[in-house]
Amino acid sequence: MNVESFFSKNIKAALKNDPPGAWMPDMPDDCIRLSSGYPDPALVPAVEIKGAVARLLDEEQDLPLHYLGSPRIERLKQQIHKRLAERGICVLEEGLLITSGACQAIDLIARILLDDKAVVAVESPTYMEALEIFQNYTNQIISIPIDEQGLQTSRLEEMLDERKRTGLTLPRILYTIPTFQNPTGTTMTTERRRHLLELSIKFDFLILEDDAYGELSFGKSPQPIKSFDKSGRVLHVGSLSKVVAPGMRIGWVAGESEFINALEWFKKDLDHPFAQSTMAVYLENTDLEKRLGLLKDVYRAKCAALIRSLEQFLPESVSWYVPDGGYFVWVRIPGADTSQLLSQALAEGISYVPGKYFFLDQTDGTEFLRLSFSYADEKEIIEGIRRLGQLITAFSS
């Protein structure tokens, strides 16, 4: 039997791409994991979530375990709606959809808006899993460079003008992580956020704002692009993965109700009722502002330890962005191939993600790597960078 003959045309095309997660290195058990974009294990509220499960089942018995789940699912939606309003994102009740994590939200948006004729614009570099999702729907993806102030909207405008002048298809969606971007840690300025919105109106495209790290600021949190949106151009995607627990798979999309209705049509019952009910109970009994303060303090200190270590152990030729929040530091090693260097790093017990996986054209990322300061503890961070520094110094000399 020829299994491939049963696949649809678009699936055959998608399966030609690298498999999901191909970027994840195989790590030794004792490896210092500066590759992992995961929360600090000590900050995952396992005891509190266990208590939320017990309370939920004590109060509602079997109800949360059925298809329709607990009434608290609606309560979770109200909690997230209120939180968004506090951040300046005001949408109607029917303008919010709870999803199974941010990736499901991105996938649903791609599903209702993209086909093989649609063009998607992305930042360069960008979140590799979003790239994987978009490539499942279209191969017409164009990239716009970022700098230390985020997406270069002037370059975007030049590209849009050129495409319009020459009759090329304009983007249907622009995907951006404007706040503490993955992988670079950079943050788009307010001026550029407003400019991006102006361009979306002028050139008639939608903005998919991925705000996964937006509440993990080391100082004042930037306003989401959606908070400036008066024309309904922004689909705002968020998640509790970085501030509570990724395994709970709680994300959302906020936008115009017509978009949300279409997303819900295709999401159908692909929910996790028990996880959503549990999260609602957890939030009922948690001072989220206090928790966010703790997370910010811990990650601020870890980031500072990483930056100090880079300054101490890496050659002067190496450069990086200093983030104002989030999980990541983006490093450039002139003349290096960080994919080849990774095997040596793993042998020394340290992991990172090579930069090539964050680019549409992977050759653009040869000299870069992404470091995460969220998962490892401060001592591990310092030791990991010391070992990495020895490798890079040997390469550079």
Side-chain angles (χ1 to χ4, degrees):
M1 180 176 67
N2 181 2
V3 174
E4 187 176 326
S5 68
F6 292 93
F7 292 145
S8 66
K9 180 181 177 181
N10 64 311
I11 293 300
K12 288 178 182 177
L15 290 175
K16 292 178 182 178
N17 299 320
D18 289 339
W23 50 270
M24 180 68 76
D26 293 325
M27 291 173 283
D29 290 340
D30 59 349
C31 189
I32 297 174
R33 297 173 61 164
L34 299 183
S35 57
S36 298
Y38 304 155
D40 184 323
L43 297 178
V44 176
V47 173
E48 292 84 352
I49 289 174
K50 180 180 178 181
V53 170
R55 179 175 174 184
L56 179 67
L57 295 179
D58 285 345
E59 293 181 3
E60 299 190 9
Q61 300 297 311
D62 62 307
L63 190 58
L65 302 174
H66 286 289
Y67 288 118
L68 293 178
S70 160
R72 280 188 163 100
I73 291 176
E74 185 60 30
R75 173 61 179 154
L76 175 64
K77 185 175 180 180
Q78 294 168 359
Q79 291 165 328
I80 292 173
H81 192 275
K82 180 176 181 291
R83 185 67 188 170
L84 289 175
E86 291 169 351
R87 300 183 64 215
I89 299 174
C90 298
V91 294
L92 299 173
E93 185 177 340
E94 57 268 28
L96 178 65
L97 178 68
I98 307 303
T99 61
S100 298
C103 275
Q104 187 192 46
I106 295 169
D107 188 77
L108 285 169
I109 291 169
R111 185 171 182 180
I112 70 163
L113 296 178
L114 300 182
D115 51 38
D116 58 4
K117 295 180 176 60
V119 175
V120 179
V122 300
E123 296 166 326
S124 182
T126 191
Y127 177 40
M128 75 285 270
E129 292 193 29
L131 267 182
E132 290 172 353
I133 290 170
F134 296 139
Q135 288 170 333
N136 286 338
Y137 294 91
T138 181
N139 62 4
Q140 298 198 64
I141 303 174
I142 54 179
S143 55
I144 313 299
I146 67 167
D147 58 21
E148 66 276 4
Q149 296 181 330
L151 178 70
Q152 296 185 45
T153 55
S154 61
R155 295 281 295 274
L156 171 63
E157 185 170 19
E158 291 171 3
M159 179 274 293
L160 293 169
D161 277 328
E162 178 66 13
R163 292 183 76 90
K164 186 174 182 178
R165 185 183 65 80
T166 57
L168 293 175
T169 304
L170 292 171
R172 193 172 297 173
I173 303 173
L174 181 139
Y175 171 73
T176 178
I177 312 169
T179 307
F180 318 132
Q181 199 239 18
N182 181 3
T184 65
T186 58
T187 296
M188 193 188 303
T189 63
T190 298
E191 181 183 6
R192 289 188 184 184
R193 292 174 192 234
R194 292 188 183 277
H195 187 207
L196 179 57
L197 276 169
E198 292 169 4
L199 293 176
S200 73
I201 296 170
K202 179 179 177 181
F203 293 96
D204 194 25
F205 62 86
L206 300 175
I207 299 168
L208 199 175
E209 178 184 25
D210 185 342
D211 194 41
Y213 305 92
E215 294 198 271
L216 292 178
S217 172
F218 301 155
K220 183 180 180 181
S221 295
Q223 282 187 258
I225 297 175
K226 184 64 178 172
S227 69
F228 301 117
D229 181 24
K230 306 301 181 186
S231 58
R233 294 275 171 177
V234 180
L235 289 162
H236 176 91
V237 170
S239 169
L240 293 178
S241 292
K242 311 304 179 186
V243 301
V244 182
M248 296 292 287
R249 309 310 302 139
I250 305 297
W252 60 83
V253 186
E256 293 298 292
S257 58
E258 292 86 353
F259 290 130
I260 300 302
N261 289 339
L263 295 171
E264 193 163 23
W265 183 279
F266 287 96
K267 184 173 78 84
K268 298 186 287 188
D269 62 351
L270 298 178
D271 269 327
H272 293 287
F274 186 71
Q276 290 183 19
S277 305
T278 300
M279 183 62 75
V281 176
Y282 169 79
L283 292 176
E284 286 171 6
N285 295 278
T286 298
D287 184 336
L288 191 58
E289 285 297 336
K290 182 178 179 180
R291 174 169 175 78
L292 285 170
L294 170 64
L295 296 176
K296 292 174 183 180
D297 287 345
V298 171
Y299 293 138
R300 185 188 299 109
K302 287 187 171 194
C303 181
L306 177 57
I307 297 299
R308 286 196 305 270
S309 299
L310 292 173
E311 293 170 343
Q312 180 178 355
F313 296 119
L314 268 65
E316 289 186 3
S317 59
V318 178
S319 60
W320 54 85
Y321 293 132
V322 178
D324 293 322
Y327 275 13
F328 305 116
V329 172
W330 185 240
V331 178
R332 178 174 179 256
I333 308 168
D337 183 333
T338 59
S339 294
Q340 293 183 5
L341 189 64
L342 179 60
S343 60
Q344 299 175 52
L346 291 171
E348 295 297 324
I350 173 145
S351 68
Y352 59 80
V353 182
K356 72 176 187 179
Y357 295 110
F358 302 95
F359 288 87
L360 188 62
D361 181 350
Q362 293 195 349
T363 60
D364 291 339
T366 304
E367 295 182 330
F368 296 92
L369 59 84
R370 189 195 76 178
L371 298 173
S372 170
F373 52 80
S374 59
Y375 186 80
D377 63 36
E378 288 189 39
K379 289 183 179 179
E380 289 174 326
I381 289 170
I382 295 167
E383 175 59 19
I385 299 303
R386 186 190 68 79
R387 297 180 195 177
L388 185 62
Q390 288 179 334
L391 289 177
I392 294 173
T393 299
F395 163 81
S396 302
S397 60

